Amino acid sequence: MGLLERFEDSLDRLVNGAFARAFKAEVQPVEIASALQREIGDRAAVIDRDRTVIPNVFHVELSQHDYRRLAVFKDALETELATLVRDYGAEQRYTLLGPVEVVLGQDDELETGIFRVRSEARAEVRSQPHGRPGEPVAAGIDAGRQPRLEASGTAYPLVRAVTRLGRGSDTDIRIEDPGASRNHCEIVLGQPALVRDLSSTNGTFVNGQRISQAEVADGSTIQIGTTRLVFRSG
């Protein structure tokens, strides 16, 4: 049984057969699943011999009529579509930079039966549970005013005097982005706070400008590869 057949079978079991009765003339869920597979194929990017990166965040835009019909099964459909993307990626040995997310939305300009898929490869940013031996912890900072980086709605506290960012497993904040070096840059807390590039391959950018070292203030944007992080002074 292929991925699309398994997808239909799984979704049909979840909604006790109601799905097939609900969708006869409108957008079919299997059409969305097929469109996601095409989107993956079109957007797959070869990074090196062993890695081909594909999108992991998908926005499916539907007409008002189709969205209202699908909304009854929205959670189940989004979950099953995300599972299909993960299974397809594993089957093709593709690389996902972060968790798979499929979101159904409404676009009032679309006609019934027409839908649109937008996607992006959104790198996962993770705080590492360990620190580097001998590295001092930032002191004298009230917990409510903790400096931090924000990415995709998640805050990553800067708890050390020097915080290293990059793709390596020994960094404090790991950036799973193909444009990130293993040790890409570091943030030094002080007055003012600084960002230092660590001879990265693709460079570190602050507010759109490539830097070797730069001051950052509240709201400054730090870009590593395609990943953007906002510095908050606390």
Side-chain angles (χ1 to χ4, degrees), residues 84-120:
L84 179 135
V85 170
R86 285 194 297 271
D87 290 348
Y88 183 66
E91 186 179 87
Q92 301 297 319
R93 297 186 178 180
Y94 289 147
T95 298
L96 291 161
L97 299 181
V100 176
E101 181 181 357
V102 179
V103 179
L104 301 182
Q106 180 177 311
D107 186 336
D108 294 337
E109 296 182 357
L110 293 176
E111 297 181 0
T112 300
I114 303 298
F115 66 95
R116 182 188 301 118
V117 175
R118 294 183 294 107
S119 67
E120 62 177 302

Side-chain angles (χ1 to χ4, degrees), residues 125-130 137-138 141-151 154-165 172-174 187 189 229-234:
V125 181
R126 289 181 289 170
S127 292
Q128 301 286 66
H130 58 77
V137 175
I141 300 174
D142 183 89
R145 302 178 59 193
Q146 181 70 50
R148 61 195 182 278
L149 294 176
E150 295 178 350
T154 301
Y156 301 89
L158 301 173
V159 297
R160 310 187 70 79
V162 179
T163 300
R164 188 168 296 172
L165 293 80
D172 301 303
I173 298 179
R174 192 172 185 180
I187 297 177
L189 295 183
L229 307 105
V230 178
F231 175 79
R232 295 299 182 189
S233 58

Side-chain angles (χ1 to χ4, degrees), residues 33-220:
S34 296
L36 292 181
Q37 286 187 311
R38 290 195 299 272
E39 181 76 2
I40 290 169
D42 292 342
R43 295 289 305 278
V46 178
I47 304 303
D48 53 42
R49 186 177 63 181
D50 300 318
R51 287 201 306 165
T52 298
V53 172
I54 62 172
N56 60 305
V57 178
F58 299 83
H59 296 273
V60 181
E61 298 168 350
L62 300 149
S63 69
Q64 183 183 67
H65 175 79
D66 286 316
Y67 179 77
R68 286 180 176 176
R69 298 291 296 275
L70 283 163
V72 179
F73 310 102
K74 185 173 184 292
D75 291 343
L77 181 54
E78 288 176 341
T79 298
E80 290 300 318
L81 288 169
T83 299
L84 179 135
V85 170
R86 285 194 297 271
D87 290 348
Y88 183 66
E91 186 179 87
Q92 301 297 319
R93 297 186 178 180
Y94 289 147
T95 298
L96 291 161
L97 299 181
V100 176
E101 181 181 357
V102 179
V103 179
L104 301 182
Q106 180 177 311
D107 186 336
D108 294 337
E109 296 182 357
L110 293 176
E111 297 181 0
T112 300
I114 303 298
F115 66 95
R116 182 188 301 118
V117 175
R118 294 183 294 107
S119 67
E120 62 177 302
R122 183 182 297 170
E124 183 179 18
V125 181
R126 289 181 289 170
S127 292
Q128 301 286 66
H130 58 77
R132 296 182 299 281
E135 185 72 42
V137 175
I141 300 174
D142 183 89
R145 302 178 59 193
Q146 181 70 50
R148 61 195 182 278
L149 294 176
E150 295 178 350
S152 302
T154 301
Y156 301 89
L158 301 173
V159 297
R160 310 187 70 79
V162 179
T163 300
R164 188 168 296 172
L165 293 80
R167 195 160 45 85
S169 59
D170 58 341
T171 54
D172 301 303
I173 298 179
R174 192 172 185 180
I175 311 292
E176 288 288 351
D177 188 305
S181 297
R182 293 187 62 81
N183 288 286
H184 196 99
C185 66
E186 62 186 14
I187 297 177
V188 183
L189 295 183
Q191 298 296 331
L194 301 174
V195 175
R196 293 175 181 161
D197 184 74
L198 299 175
S199 300
S200 64
T201 301
N202 296 309
T204 301
F205 295 79
V206 173
N207 296 329
Q209 300 295 316
R210 185 165 182 165
I211 58 95
S212 55
Q213 176 173 300
E215 298 180 5
V216 285
D218 188 69
S220 293

